[in-house]
Amino acid sequence: MFAEIFFIASSLIAVIASLAMLVSRSPVQSALWLILVMLCVAGLYVTLSAEFIAVVQVLVYAGAIMVLFLFVIMLLNLGAVPVADRIDVKKGVGFVLFTVILGQLVYVTSTTSESLSSAVIDHPESGTAIKIAEELFTRYVLPFEIIGILLLVATVGAVILAKRTFE
Amino acid sequence: MGIPLTWYLTLSAVLFSIGVMGVLFRSNLIVILMSIELMLNAVNITLIAFAQFMGDVSGQILVFFVISVAAAEAAIGLAIVIAIFRNKLTVDVNNIKLFRH
């Protein structure tokens, strides 16, 4: 019972915060709302007993990535958008696309709900750092190394892109 | 005890659609990048829910990799935003018309 209440509270806060991110005029406010979404998603991972991923979510997403976003917003000194964006054809197409994607996803979820079991089966063991590390350093050790190279390339590329001046 | 899998899938669908709407509606480059992060988060919820539903650790490892790639993507995307801002003095996508004649 407690898990359900926690799930509903977290998901409601996540949806409201993401909508607030969408409508807030100032980029700093958007970033702060997105941090709230990230924290709620970390709470949802805890209800799925994926504790390691929940901790990684808070550390990497809410910690590192969002701090990077806030740093860039403040570096560029971006203020709030003075007036609301006007409604044009692009926004109409966007809203239609939003409705279609949401309807499609919810339709697929609702029609396949009978074939899926009614409840998430809990595997409390499979979310711990030990289980993940066992798989990560045996079966998935090559992708792990490739991710390391990717992060190095991204770091070097980010420095070069930000330093370079385009004429 | 036990939250139905469909709740997680529905929540993920809603968050993903809000992310799509953010990409299509906002004209600020940084808010568009943040909406992409929101969409990645929505997909991660689905992956974790299915991984726990099937008792397989591989889904969680895929989420681990998605988070790593998201970090790299955020770094590169923000570097591109800085480069565009130094050049154009704006981050509004309506004013960035490199390929438009």
Side-chain angles (χ1 to χ4, degrees), chain B residues 5-95:
Chain B
L5 180 63
T6 48
W7 290 17
Y8 288 102
L9 299 182
T10 311
L11 172 69
S12 168
V14 170
L15 285 182
F16 187 88
S17 310
I18 293 172
V20 170
M21 201 156 65
V23 169
L24 292 169
F25 274 30
R26 296 302 302 266
S27 55
N28 190 322
L29 258 177
I30 291 179
V31 180
I32 290 175
L33 278 176
M34 287 198 278
S35 303
I36 293 172
E37 300 292 332
L38 182 63
M39 287 155 77
L40 286 170
N41 261 284
V43 175
N44 283 350
I45 294 175
T46 310
L47 278 171
I48 297 262
F50 273 117
Q52 297 300 94
F53 177 69
M54 302 178 62
D56 193 356
V57 192
S58 303
Q60 297 192 37
I61 290 172
L62 185 55
V63 169
F64 186 75
F65 288 145
V66 168
I67 291 176
S68 313
V69 173
E73 173 247 316
I76 293 290
L78 290 171
I80 292 173
V81 170
I82 290 175
I84 289 175
F85 187 81
R86 286 164 58 137
N87 200 17
K88 301 265 182 191
L89 290 181
T90 180
V91 291
D92 193 320
V93 288
N94 295 322
N95 298 330

Side-chain angles (χ1 to χ4, degrees), chain A residues 78-157:
Chain A
L78 298 177
V81 183
V83 288
D85 300 341
R86 57 195 172 76
I87 307 289
D88 53 4
V89 181
K90 188 187 138 201
K91 293 216 166 50
V93 173
F95 191 75
V96 170
L97 202 58
F98 161 76
T99 319
V100 168
I101 290 173
L102 183 60
Q104 205 173 23
L105 289 172
V106 171
Y107 175 73
V108 169
T109 307
S110 61
T111 49
T112 52
S113 60
E114 293 88 23
S115 59
L116 302 169
S117 161
S118 60
V120 171
I121 303 163
D122 266 298
H123 299 275
E125 301 295 303
S126 67
T128 59
I130 297 170
K131 286 279 176 190
I132 292 175
E134 275 173 4
E135 284 281 304
L136 190 63
F137 293 118
T138 54
R139 235 176 109 189
Y140 297 100
V141 70
L142 181 65
F144 182 71
E145 300 291 339
I146 294 172
I147 281 289
I149 296 171
L150 175 77
L151 286 172
L152 177 67
V153 171
T155 314
V156 174

